[in-house]
Amino acid sequence: MGGNDQIIEAEVVEIDGVAVEPRPARREAPRTRGRVDWTTWQGRVKRLDARWWPLWLVLGAIVLAIAVALGMCFAVVFVAWRIFKAILRGFAGFLSPQR
């Protein structure tokens, strides 16, 4: 075969004695202005775009720092409450009549 290969196009009408139905032409839905076609997002929703990993890394670090700060604040308030409660019970025990 040389550089002048011919391309032959043919339409399949029958395979092994069985008629082949042509595929129906795919109709495009009329586009309305400002409307998003969500059918094209099926694969994109399941995985994140790799170009955005630095943003997700920074946002994850910020969320982690906020969670640790809130946890530490909760721990400080909890320990302070326990100490305050122990002091109040000590004074109440001191002032109550002994048996």
Side-chain angles (χ1 to χ4, degrees):
M1 299 212 152
N4 295 335
D5 293 335
Q6 293 181 349
I7 298 174
I8 300 173
E9 293 184 15
E11 182 178 341
V12 177
V13 179
E14 187 177 314
I15 297 176
D16 293 334
V18 178
V20 177
E21 296 291 327
R23 288 186 183 159
R26 195 170 133 183
R27 292 185 294 153
E28 293 292 325
R31 292 245 176 204
T32 56
R33 188 167 21 135
R35 185 121 188 197
V36 177
D37 184 18
W38 290 102
T39 59
T40 60
W41 283 79
Q42 288 176 353
R44 294 182 190 175
V45 172
K46 294 179 183 175
R47 60 183 167 81
L48 297 175
D49 192 355
R51 295 176 292 178
W52 292 93
W53 72 266
L55 174 68
W56 298 121
L57 185 67
V58 169
L59 289 177
I62 291 171
V63 167
L64 182 64
I66 290 172
V68 167
L70 288 175
M72 293 300 289
C73 289
F74 178 74
V76 167
V77 169
F78 181 71
V79 169
W81 171 253
R82 298 276 306 236
I83 291 172
F84 181 70
K85 192 167 70 170
I87 291 172
L88 282 179
R89 283 189 176 181
F91 280 127
F94 178 68
L95 296 176
S96 67
Q98 302 220 350
R99 294 183 186 196

